[in-house]
Amino acid sequence: DAGITQSPRHKVTETGTPVTLRCHQTENHRYMYWYRQDPGHGLRLIHYSYGVKDTDKGEVSDGYSVSRSKTEDFLLTLESATSSQTSVYFCAISTGQGKGQPQHFGDGTRLSIL
Amino acid sequence: GENVEQHPSTLSVQEGDSAVIKCTYSDSASNYFPWYKQELGKRPQLIIDIRSNVGEKKDQRIAVTLNKTAKHFSLHITETQPEDSAVYFCAALDSGTYKYIFGTGTRLKVLA
């Protein structure tokens, strides 16, 4: 267990409402990632962070924003949720230093947009 | 950027047989290739990884091989057991960033 906590674990909300998902880590790792997982698409990167206030877009970033004001927390925000954003969201951290280090995932957040 | 293709999408084998899952990648400079196992309703878990300076790596019944020339890498599971049933994902690290690109997954069913 790499000390990753995602909250909430489940959420149901309505179209047009803002939603924020939180990823918290306890081991001071530099790199943090948000993925969404949908049937037939595997894991797709939304955004990632390589340090406090340093973030970059992934392959499916439209409609999502992120913030990292502290090393331990990486927040994913859906400013105005749409039904197409119904998915399972996983946070991951990359352990070690430099490139090519193992990623470890949180337990996921199941988000339903009605 | 990196692109990863994974085959097959589903695979059924008899208990005790071997299973092979193959992934191809596009970025010839990629140098790190992990494999994940995901059981139903659970998080993906790293099971083995390989770096580009190595051609093969083994861990008990699991092995990964890498062919840099052909740009493909494969997961081999020997003596399969029912608990090996899961979805397996390959991934490759994009050489220009810290992004990991995942394959679309293989659902492995081990039949008792």
Side-chain angles (χ1 to χ4, degrees):
Chain A
D1 188 348
I4 307 168
T5 303
Q6 289 187 234
S7 59
R9 293 292 317 280
H10 303 272
K11 187 174 182 66
V12 180
T13 191
E14 295 183 345
T15 301
T17 60
V19 177
T20 295
L21 308 183
R22 181 187 185 224
C23 179
H24 178 79
Q25 58 142 330
T26 59
E27 299 182 1
N28 210 36
H29 294 295
R30 180 180 176 188
Y31 302 98
M32 299 183 75
Y33 303 77
W34 276 108
Y35 294 89
R36 62 179 288 174
Q37 185 172 39
D38 306 288
H41 291 280
L43 291 154
R44 293 183 291 173
L45 182 66
I46 305 172
H47 284 279
Y48 72 105
S49 171
Y50 46 96
V52 173
K53 296 186 180 180
D54 291 324
T55 64
D56 200 358
K57 295 180 179 180
E59 56 189 310
V60 290
S61 60
D62 288 348
Y64 302 94
S65 62
V66 290
S67 66
R68 192 167 178 201
S69 58
K70 298 183 293 184
T71 300
E72 58 266 36
D73 288 324
F74 192 31
L75 304 180
L76 176 70
T77 297
L78 292 65
E79 300 289 348
S80 178
T82 67
S83 58
S84 64
Q85 294 176 310
T86 292
S87 187
V88 179
Y89 292 85
F90 285 100
C91 173
I93 62 170
S94 184
T95 58
Q97 298 297 318
K99 286 190 174 183
Q101 302 298 331
Q103 276 195 324
H104 298 277
F105 287 81
D107 289 326
T109 294
R110 186 172 296 276
L111 179 63
S112 296
I113 315 293
L114 304 179
Chain B
E2 178 69 278
N3 183 52
V4 175
E5 294 189 0
Q6 183 172 346
H7 298 281
S9 57
T10 60
L11 178 61
S12 294
V13 298
Q14 290 294 134
E15 183 177 358
D17 288 350
S18 296
V20 182
I21 303 170
K22 181 178 177 179
C23 289
T24 60
Y25 61 98
S26 60
D27 182 358
S28 58
S30 288
N31 60 8
Y32 178 66
F33 308 92
W35 284 90
Y36 292 85
K37 175 183 180 182
Q38 187 178 28
E39 297 176 349
L40 188 63
K42 301 289 183 65
R43 58 188 167 96
Q45 291 194 296
L46 180 72
I47 55 172
I48 196 167
D49 56 9
I50 191 168
R51 301 185 188 277
S52 58
N53 59 348
V54 174
E56 183 176 6
K57 183 177 179 181
K58 290 183 179 180
D59 183 2
Q60 300 181 345
R61 297 187 296 108
I62 293 173
V64 56
T65 58
L66 173 64
N67 183 325
K68 289 188 292 183
T69 303
K71 292 191 286 187
H72 67 71
F73 56 110
S74 299
L75 178 70
H76 304 255
I77 305 174
T78 58
E79 301 174 11
T80 53
Q81 301 168 2
E83 52 264 38
D84 294 328
S85 295
V87 178
Y88 292 81
F89 292 97
C90 63
L93 179 63
D94 182 274
S95 63
T97 69
Y98 288 88
K99 300 177 184 179
Y100 294 79
I101 308 301
F102 283 77
T104 51
T106 296
R107 182 173 301 277
L108 173 65
K109 296 180 182 178
V110 179
L111 307 172

